[in-house]
Amino acid sequence: MKKAIDFLRSEVFIFLTLLLVITSQIIHTMYLFETVRVFDLSFEIASYRFTIANWVHAFIFALAIEAAILMFILNGKPTPSKVYAVASFATNLLYYKVWMVPLPTIFASVLISSMLAGSIWFFSDLLAEKISMADVPSKEEDELKKILAATDEVKKINFKTTMPMNGR
């Protein structure tokens, strides 16, 4: 059970959870990007309209935005990731078109939008904290270094006292 709890507290699990949250945000960002697209990359073949190029472009854009959040977090820059979290909140409100839906749906949309953006914000903080803590040596590591240094000193003293003098 301790291993499971240690994993749930680990940087790896926090990172994976943040990745899931950011991945869910990609769809919203793609959609929003697609609604304001200026240049249409779609094409027509035999009276069929193919929009795959538009969606690939939107996916690359959204992926780049979300990857930027990860880069800022992993490089110890939590403030830009918080700015992105606020922008994600706005993106979600636009995605859910809160101005066009009944009041109960507005509340649900605002709640979902704030949960997703808040998750990005708080997981960013948590991951940044875990990463910075990983750089600081723990108490056990400090004690081990002291013991190893003392052991080396004992070996030097022992070597000096057991060495035969003048080749005798």
Side-chain angles (χ1 to χ4, degrees):
M1 184 63 149
K2 182 176 176 350
K3 285 185 178 186
I5 291 171
D6 287 344
F7 175 71
L8 293 175
R9 290 181 177 162
S10 72
E11 303 94 21
V12 172
F13 186 69
I14 294 167
F15 177 76
L16 292 174
T17 306
L18 178 61
L19 209 55
L20 289 173
V21 170
I22 287 173
T23 301
S24 65
Q25 184 65 33
I26 285 175
I27 301 299
H28 298 179
T29 306
M30 281 176 62
Y31 176 78
L32 195 63
F33 181 74
E34 195 52 33
T35 61
V36 296
R37 174 178 298 286
V38 176
F39 184 72
D40 187 9
L41 299 171
S42 64
F43 54 92
E44 197 170 308
I45 298 177
S47 74
Y48 288 104
R49 187 124 201 104
F50 293 92
T51 60
I52 187 73
N54 286 340
W55 288 105
V56 168
H57 184 229
F59 177 74
I60 291 168
F61 171 80
L63 189 61
I65 294 294
E66 303 308 324
I69 295 170
L70 281 178
M71 283 190 298
F72 289 130
I73 295 165
L74 296 175
N75 287 293
K77 305 288 184 195
T79 303
S81 65
K82 291 176 183 178
V83 171
Y84 274 98
V86 172
S88 293
F89 177 71
T91 299
N92 295 338
L93 291 178
L94 291 170
Y95 174 79
Y96 291 119
K97 298 178 181 177
V98 294
W99 62 93
M100 297 175 64
V101 294
L103 195 57
T105 307
I106 290 173
F107 288 133
S109 299
V110 169
L111 180 63
I112 290 169
S113 297
S114 62
M115 288 170 55
L116 190 55
S119 294
I120 293 170
W121 182 305
F122 298 128
F123 280 124
S124 297
D125 275 351
L126 188 58
L127 186 61
E129 180 182 307
K130 286 283 191 178
I131 290 170
S132 69
M133 286 177 58
D135 294 338
V136 177
S138 68
K139 226 179 191 180
E140 292 87 12
E141 288 176 15
D142 287 342
E143 290 298 319
L144 183 60
K145 287 178 184 175
K146 287 178 186 176
I147 291 169
L148 290 174
T151 304
D152 286 342
E153 201 57 39
V154 168
K155 286 179 184 176
K156 289 177 187 174
I157 293 169
N158 193 23
F159 179 74
K160 288 177 184 175
T161 58
T162 60
M163 186 74 176
M165 293 186 61
N166 296 333
R168 291 185 199 168

